[in-house]
Amino acid sequence: MSHSVIKVPLSAIDQMKMTYSGSLTASVPQGAVFQAKPPGCTITAYKSGKVLFQGKNAAAESARWGTAEPQEKKKTAKKPADPRYVPPANIAGMSVIGSDEVGTGDYFGPMTVVCAYVDKTMLPLMKELGVKDSKDLKDPQIIEIARNLIKTIPYSLLVLKNDKYNSMQEKGMSQGKMKALLHNQAITHLLRKMDGVKPEAILIDQFAEPGVYFNHLKGRDIVKERTYFSTKAEGIHLSVAAASIIARYSFLMEMDKLSREAGMTLPKGAGPHVDEAAAKLILKKGASALRAYTKLHFANTQKAQRLAAKKRS
């Protein structure tokens, strides 16, 4: 049964009681001022000023009197993880291909996906180079560490530039599917590079349930053997942390390149400062230029267009 709750002054409750006088019930619940049952709805008004509307016409009736309070979301039981894809307890000490992506939440710039192989004999060196969760590193540190990593470990990097990203999105492809395709392709490339060397595990920083990930890859050659998924995988194996650092480094280099092409600094993220920069880019190069610099389906596009229009007027 749909329901809606609004809060109104007691004077409004008196007015509501008069309006629904023809459908008042003989008895009222404890603490209520009145209860009425017009067609398709039961209305109960309380001394606290809260009014509960229940039934198929609840939303329409409540809208006559005020704005409904947000309903609490029901807590759903968390689905247990599929044991086939849960990383082994001792994975931190294994030889692993780790895979991660960067740029998915940034309006400007591409999506970069990297998978990196760290043999267990290289784990001490990874720590010595400063490899850890990239969220704990500043951009200059990431650049320095990445430049050492790309000369030290096998990796595969894929950059999905904005123009291609927008074309795929416009054809109905979700960002989740794009990520799945890129991760699978990067892992395939790296395994080929490794020329027969077999990792003990492949660990993907989880952005979707394993079933959803593999469903995105239907009809393609899928790397599935010894493949595991985990959120916060950067803290589980240094290969994922290394992949994330190289992906972030690539993203930063791409952003620098795009900024030079745009003739202005393009900011990271998707906040109001990004809207301002996009509006400036529209005024400088025209709205069509956004296609090569941004992820067009983000809400920032409309916000930037409105800002640019205001600045023109």
Side-chain angles (χ1 to χ4, degrees), residues 26-78:
S27 60
V28 297
Q30 190 175 352
V33 176
F34 75 85
Q35 187 173 73
K37 292 191 174 182
C41 190
T42 298
I43 303 165
T44 310
Y46 293 92
K47 292 171 185 173
S48 64
K50 285 199 173 182
V51 186
L52 171 64
F53 297 78
Q54 296 169 288
K56 65 177 183 180
N57 293 337
E61 284 296 332
S62 68
R64 293 175 60 188
W65 303 98
T67 304
E69 295 182 351
Q71 296 176 17
E72 284 187 20
K73 288 184 180 176
K74 287 183 183 176
K75 289 183 180 176
T76 53
K78 196 174 178 183

Side-chain angles (χ1 to χ4, degrees), residues 210-264:
V212 174
Y213 172 86
F214 289 121
N215 192 51
H216 284 322
L217 299 173
K218 271 185 180 172
R220 291 172 170 83
D221 292 331
I222 305 173
V223 180
K224 204 168 184 179
E225 189 183 357
R226 293 192 295 275
T227 297
Y228 306 102
F229 298 80
S230 176
T231 55
K232 300 179 181 174
E234 290 178 69
I236 292 175
H237 198 277
L238 290 175
S239 62
V240 182
S244 180
I245 288 168
I246 298 171
R248 180 73 179 172
Y249 168 70
S250 172
F251 176 77
L252 292 172
M253 296 302 103
E254 291 292 332
M255 284 291 281
D256 285 349
K257 197 188 299 177
L258 285 173
S259 292
R260 288 194 297 273
E261 287 171 13
M264 56 182 278

